[in-house]
Amino acid sequence: MIVVLGSASMDLTTYVAVAPALGETVMGREFRTVPGGKGANQAIAAARAGGGVAMIGAVGDDSFGEPVRRTLAESGVDVAGLRTVAGPTGTAHIVVDDNGGNSIVVVPSANATITGTEDGDAERIAAADFLLLQLEAPMDAAIAGAGVARANGTKVVLTPAPTQELPEALLSNVDIIVPNEHEARALSGVDDLDKTIEWLLDRVPVAVVTLGEQGCLYAARGEERVRVPAFAVTAVDTTAAGDTFVGALAVALGEGKAVVEALTWASAAAAMAVQRPGASSSMPERAEIEVLVASRT
């Protein structure tokens, strides 16, 4: 069982040939509204990959809240812990260019009300194998959730995004940290990847750094580092690729897959996602992941 504690939002995505510079206006070719948020994205990715998943978070009582909740539920996520609060649902304002790159502005709104665990949350976390955390909700919520997880033997997987200073109260309860290369270097303050990995392992037992087209790097205290290549695909939209990777990785590890197999599985899920537009709408089903994994083996 996987529990996700984090953000649930509506993505407002515009597709352009080239993203505008500061002060510039450009013409877009398409606009989409798709349920997202890093927490909801990871929950949906894990559920579609075959995991049992529950979501802890909040949406608003506006017109975006119900579609976000419905998309999670239709993807197989238990939404009993997804509360509805007065006010707007969180939004992410995304520009995607023709290379699949994106820039994002997140407005937390309802997500900002997740300041800790509430009735039933501790029981959900305690019963889970993994707790997935991100940082689009207040830090206090992540710290509280990680504390409950550690006390009950639930492994904590942290995606440190958006990047910010990570307090010891959180890091001391994290089992696996999964930053992308840019986030990892921002956290460590150094450009050298090897030194960045050392910095991470001084603070958490396991680090998985995603490297885009270069694949991913697994490092654990006392073990040899493992690098798994990415699948060669043409990216259409990289939004939520990292969240897809994390959700699928938690499923694979929960099923007892070995490290290389689990990383390959997660990489395949992310590769499927970047070939489609949108966040939650791009995430693959388990059968699709299996087909791509089989093509490599």
Side-chain angles (χ1 to χ4, degrees), residues 14-295:
T14 301
Y15 294 88
V16 299
V18 179
L22 185 64
E24 181 183 14
T25 299
V26 300
M27 297 297 290
R29 67 170 181 275
E30 186 178 1
F31 173 76
R32 296 186 180 204
T33 57
V34 179
K38 295 193 74 63
N41 287 341
Q42 292 184 2
I44 291 169
R48 290 184 182 168
V53 185
M55 177 81 196
I56 298 173
V59 294
D61 59 1
D62 60 351
S63 60
F64 288 154
E66 184 52 37
V68 171
R69 179 184 297 276
R70 183 173 63 251
T71 298
L72 282 158
E74 290 176 348
S75 298
V77 178
D78 180 347
V79 293
L82 183 66
R83 292 171 278 278
T84 299
V85 299
T89 300
T91 51
H93 304 256
I94 306 170
V95 175
V96 179
D97 65 22
D98 276 351
N99 293 319
N102 61 61
S103 56
I104 304 173
V105 176
V106 172
V107 182
S109 299
N111 295 309
T113 68
I114 313 169
T115 56
T117 56
E118 298 188 15
D119 290 347
D121 292 346
E123 290 77 8
R124 292 183 183 93
I125 295 169
D129 300 303
F130 289 93
L131 172 67
L132 307 188
L133 299 172
Q134 328 75 35
L135 301 177
E136 286 182 346
M139 182 65 73
D140 287 346
I143 291 172
V148 172
R150 176 51 57 90
N152 291 279
T154 300
K155 290 189 178 298
V156 176
V157 180
L158 172 66
T159 302
T163 308
Q164 55 190 280
E165 184 176 351
L166 302 178
E168 178 63 20
L170 174 60
L171 285 174
S172 62
N173 291 321
V174 172
D175 296 282
I176 305 173
I177 190 167
V178 190
N180 64 32
E181 186 175 6
H182 304 293
E183 292 158 356
R185 286 175 166 153
L187 288 169
S188 67
V190 296
D191 288 331
D192 183 82
L193 183 58
D194 286 335
K195 291 181 179 178
T196 294
I197 293 293
E198 292 171 5
W199 187 93
L200 292 170
L201 293 183
D202 282 342
R203 290 157 176 80
V204 296
V206 177
V208 179
V209 181
T210 58
L211 305 170
E213 294 178 354
Q214 302 304 311
C216 61
L217 179 63
Y218 171 93
R221 293 171 182 168
E223 298 181 21
E224 290 188 12
R225 296 178 186 178
V226 177
R227 193 158 187 157
V228 171
F231 287 82
V233 298
T234 300
V236 171
D237 183 353
T238 58
T239 306
D243 296 327
T244 304
F245 181 95
V246 171
L249 180 64
V251 172
L253 293 175
E255 293 176 353
K257 288 180 170 60
V259 169
V260 172
E261 186 181 3
L263 294 174
T264 301
W265 174 270
S267 297
M272 295 293 300
V274 301
Q275 296 178 79
R276 303 164 177 168
S280 61
S281 58
S282 72
M283 294 170 178
E285 300 289 343
R286 184 182 184 95
E288 297 177 289
I289 301 171
E290 290 175 340
V291 169
L292 188 55
V293 170
S295 73

